[in-house]
Amino acid sequence: MSSRSGMRRAGRVAVAATAAAVVLSACGSVGSTTTTTSSSAGSATSAASSTAADSSSSGGATGGATADTINIGLEQSPGGFNPNSAGANSVYTGYVDNVVNDGFVDVQPDGSLKPNTAFGTYEKTSDDPLTVKYQFAEGAKFSDGTPLDFDDVLLAWAALSGNFPTGAKDDAGNDVDLFTPASTNGFAQIEKPEGKAGDTSFTFVFKEPYADWEALMSGGVLMPAHIAAEQGGLSADNNGQALIDAINNSDTAALTPVATFWNSGWDFQPELPSIPDVALLPSTGPYKYDNATNGTLTVVANDQFWGTPAKTKTLVFKTVSAEEWVQAMANGEIDAYDPSNPTQDVVSQLDALGDKVKYETGESYSFSHVDFDSSPQGRFADLRVRQAFLKCIPRQELVDKFAKPVFDGAQILNLHEFLPAQGNYQEILDQVPSAKLYDTVDLAGAKDLLTQAGVTQPYDIRFIRSSASDLRGQQIALIKSSCDQAGFNIIDQPDPDVFTTLTTRGTWDAAVFGWSGSGLVASGQSIYVTGGDQNYGGYSDEKVDSIWNDVVRTVDRDSAEEKKAPMEEQLWANPYNATLYATPGLSATSSSITGAGFNPTQTGLTWNAETWTKSAG
């Protein structure tokens, strides 16, 4: 799954959140939603929400003067310009990327894919081998005027395919690549694209079938190759010929500084005190970067955009904590917010605001979980230690305290690749006998397993979580109150830059965060397989690897999902992590906003923010 939530990370299709997106498939309903104006909350009834496209033609700003600026609250600051780098990939990066970078396809709120013909066209021309031809739209270009063409495509393939090893090995013995993407899902299956500098059409030929081929070229995949080349010491002249040559010749010396910039040169500092020079951040979407300071990022309408112009001139993304956003909305400081973990207190506070605010709730594609460092050097390397930890985590109490107050139907999540909102959740769960082994706390059993493992008790566990999330701190406190009784010593370790820390094994033992889903089949692969880019804890299981290898080659969705059932069993038999619960979803906007709508996928509230308007006054 590719995107983290609250901490929310995004492998957007990417994907990350980028066709590295979280895998949750859209089988069946995405869940009902309730649309509520605060003043009428007491009588709200469940109903399918109208699409944002429909709502943009009525209410709110319709028929009157509109404001030039809409303020959007973010629970955490975005990690960078490049949504597919391991360091910047997050849901919050994706929320901004939704409006600054376009692609050939858009993921819809129901998980379906919609071709974006304004950006370009694509056609599957062969099934054997799987072959897809793409054509950029006439006039497609970055906001600095540089045309979109072949060097941008070739750089994306190079960065996301894992085909440029450095010669070094990681602690699991896997090759270390020059590039550090959040995921290589899909692109690792593509042969090197053939073409010449300046080409505006290109073809992907797959080495083997890939289930989510159509989602690969979504927004955020194509970073500006001319910027990466120049920052890496190569000339960007002649439509990027020097970079094309370096990639075609696998010139490690020439590519190393380019890869270094692609990996981190577009990153933002924690808490967003500023952003890199906007000249380094040219966009391909309806908005472009303008400035940032003290956790506030401003994007403005892209005057070079060749598609439908944005309806509102300026969007301002403000970092507002989960504890402060409702008050910020009441004060008019923000106009929209998509909390990662809504609570009953939040719902009550929104209801108290009367007709200032409208909000929607529904079943979400996000879920909370606790990950372990189970690498050979990790504190959870021993199977018995992982099993002991699972036995002491009070999963039902976590559900009762943090999920049920918002959604009464919340339950312990016992699968990794399927959520209760999906129509086949129970069908798959019935095929996974080990899924309910850890539903109830067993302190005596946990302590016995620690003793069998021969570890010194109390056994220290450095438990990291976002320092911006009080809720995650409360969850760790609840786990500590239970697991410390079983022989563990839980050390709460708040971190302002959790996802950088996660990539550095040896600095953490357990982590609580959330994955956000996209409705794809195969994008969870990099989380679970040996050496996967999003497998932060170094988990390795040959059976899981084998099943994923089969799933990603199965183009039929129903067949692919059935094949995941034995993998779900193995993920409990040799525990990967502790899934907790599916997160109830909520999105809120000022009553003056028109066009916004609840989106249960990782793409989030801003999936269509370029269409929003705000009534003036």
Side-chain angles (χ1 to χ4, degrees):
M1 314 213 155
S2 257
S3 148
R4 294 96 98 156
S5 97
M7 304 165 350
R8 272 203 299 212
R9 194 68 168 189
R12 300 177 35 143
V13 175
V15 147
T18 41
V22 71
V23 77
L24 307 179
S25 59
C27 219
S29 170
V30 299
S32 63
T33 62
T34 298
T35 306
T36 304
T37 300
S38 298
S39 59
S40 63
S43 60
T45 56
S46 294
S49 63
S50 61
T51 65
D54 292 337
S55 66
S56 64
S57 63
S58 63
T62 301
T66 58
D68 289 336
T69 301
I70 293 175
N71 298 296
I72 301 171
L74 297 180
E75 194 167 306
Q76 296 171 38
S77 58
F81 175 60
N82 182 358
N84 288 297
S85 69
N89 172 258
S90 78
V91 163
Y92 304 101
T93 298
Y95 284 177
V96 178
D97 189 68
N98 286 340
V99 299
V100 296
N101 283 310
D102 254 4
F104 284 92
V105 65
D106 295 324
V107 181
Q108 302 299 294
D110 64 359
S112 64
L113 300 175
K114 180 180 179 180
N116 180 10
T117 55
F119 188 85
T121 58
Y122 61 92
E123 178 187 6
K124 179 162 68 73
T125 59
S126 172
D127 287 315
D128 186 16
L130 177 60
T131 304
V132 186
K133 183 175 181 179
Y134 295 84
Q135 173 68 58
F136 287 118
E138 184 176 354
K141 56 184 175 294
F142 289 94
S143 57
D144 63 3
T146 303
L148 273 160
D149 54 27
F150 186 68
D151 62 329
D152 305 302
V153 175
L154 196 60
L155 175 62
W157 173 83
L160 298 172
S161 64
N163 280 315
F164 293 87
T166 62
K169 301 285 185 180
D170 63 16
D171 56 12
N174 301 301
D175 289 332
V176 174
D177 200 78
L178 285 177
F179 296 91
T180 56
S183 173
T184 59
N185 290 351
F187 283 91
Q189 282 76 44
I190 298 173
E191 301 280 4
K192 183 173 67 178
E194 301 292 334
K196 63 181 184 298
D199 282 354
T200 59
S201 65
F202 60 96
T203 299
F204 282 169
V205 178
F206 289 75
K207 304 170 188 176
E208 53 203 18
Y210 181 67
D212 291 322
W213 65 268
E214 192 173 7
L216 287 178
M217 294 300 287
S218 60
V221 170
L222 296 171
M223 290 290 98
H226 61 290
I227 299 296
E230 290 174 340
Q231 294 301 305
L234 297 179
S235 170
D237 293 344
N238 300 317
N239 297 311
Q241 186 65 57
L243 178 60
I244 292 171
D245 289 343
I247 294 173
N248 283 336
N249 297 327
S250 298
D251 186 341
T252 299
L255 287 176
T256 294
V258 174
T260 298
F261 182 80
W262 189 97
N263 295 338
S264 60
W266 282 306
D267 285 0
F268 301 159
Q269 296 178 55
E271 313 305 330
L272 201 66
S274 62
I275 56 174
D277 184 347
V278 293
L280 302 178
L281 314 175
S283 70
T284 58
Y287 288 92
K288 63 181 180 180
Y289 283 90
D290 186 65
N291 69 83
T293 182
N294 296 326
T296 296
L297 171 66
T298 300
V299 299
V300 296
N302 178 5
D303 55 359
Q304 295 288 315
F305 188 54
W306 64 97
T308 302
K311 288 190 174 183
T312 297
K313 180 179 178 181
T314 302
L315 300 181
V316 178
F317 293 91
K318 297 182 176 182
T319 307
V320 183
S321 74
E323 292 72 39
E324 297 175 343
W325 74 268
V326 177
Q327 187 61 53
M329 187 165 282
N331 295 342
E333 298 168 21
I334 59 173
D335 301 303
Y337 200 86
D338 188 359
S340 62
N341 289 281
T343 64
Q344 181 58 55
D345 285 346
V346 164
V347 173
S348 298
Q349 291 171 41
L350 290 173
D351 289 342
L353 295 182
D355 59 6
K356 285 185 176 181
V357 173
K358 52 190 176 184
Y359 66 90
E360 292 182 78
T361 59
E363 293 179 295
S364 168
Y365 273 26
S366 299
F367 67 96
S368 292
H369 57 99
V370 175
D371 277 13
F372 314 137
D373 182 353
S374 55
S375 64
Q377 295 77 33
R379 300 284 282 176
F380 286 100
D382 192 306
L383 169 65
R384 293 164 295 187
V385 174
R386 275 176 277 147
Q387 292 172 328
F389 203 53
L390 283 165
K391 281 181 176 290
C392 68
I393 296 176
R395 296 166 75 212
Q396 186 61 56
E397 189 175 357
L398 289 163
V399 170
D400 293 342
K401 185 170 183 179
F402 300 110
K404 275 186 174 291
V406 179
F407 175 55
D408 189 57
Q411 58 186 286
I412 293 174
L413 178 63
N414 279 320
L415 297 177
H416 301 76
E417 288 291 297
F418 302 87
L419 292 172
Q422 297 174 259
N424 59 347
Y425 176 81
Q426 189 61 47
E427 176 187 343
I428 299 296
L429 183 59
D430 290 342
Q431 301 174 53
V432 186
S434 296
K436 296 187 177 183
L437 286 176
Y438 305 102
D439 279 6
T440 58
V441 171
D442 178 7
L443 296 179
K447 194 168 185 65
D448 183 55
L449 282 164
L450 277 185
T451 301
Q452 291 179 37
V455 300
T456 301
Q457 299 179 38
Y459 191 64
D460 289 348
I461 297 296
R462 295 165 299 174
F463 208 141
I464 65 170
R465 48 96 175 180
S466 170
S467 58
S469 175
D470 180 61
L471 180 143
R472 295 304 188 194
Q474 293 178 46
Q475 291 173 334
I476 289 179
L478 198 61
I479 293 171
K480 177 178 176 64
S481 68
S482 177
C483 290
D484 279 12
Q485 299 178 59
F488 289 96
N489 177 37
I490 305 300
I491 303 167
D492 182 11
Q493 193 167 296
D495 193 318
D497 194 13
V498 169
F499 295 105
T500 296
T501 301
L502 278 171
T503 62
T504 308
R505 290 185 200 135
T507 62
W508 63 279
D509 305 312
V512 60
F513 57 102
W515 285 116
S516 289
S518 66
L520 301 181
V521 171
S523 57
Q525 182 186 23
S526 67
I527 297 174
Y528 303 103
V529 298
T530 302
D533 298 306
Q534 292 171 301
N535 182 355
Y536 301 115
Y539 177 84
S540 182
D541 185 282
E542 290 183 0
K543 186 172 183 179
V544 170
D545 292 348
S546 177
I547 293 171
W548 264 117
N549 191 49
D550 189 18
V551 166
V552 298
R553 290 166 174 76
T554 303
V555 177
D556 179 75
R557 181 182 295 270
D558 291 341
S559 297
E561 291 181 340
E562 280 297 319
K563 290 177 179 180
K564 289 182 180 179
M567 180 184 68
E568 292 281 4
E569 173 67 17
Q570 189 63 15
L571 289 171
W572 287 116
N574 179 20
Y576 174 86
N577 66 0
T579 51
L580 301 179
Y581 57 82
T583 307
L586 180 151
S587 63
T589 63
S590 162
S591 293
S592 62
I593 296 294
T594 296
F598 178 69
N599 186 341
T601 74
Q602 67 182 30
T603 311
L605 181 63
T606 63
W607 70 282
N608 69 335
E610 70 276 8
T611 70
W612 297 3
T613 56
K614 177 183 176 180
S615 56

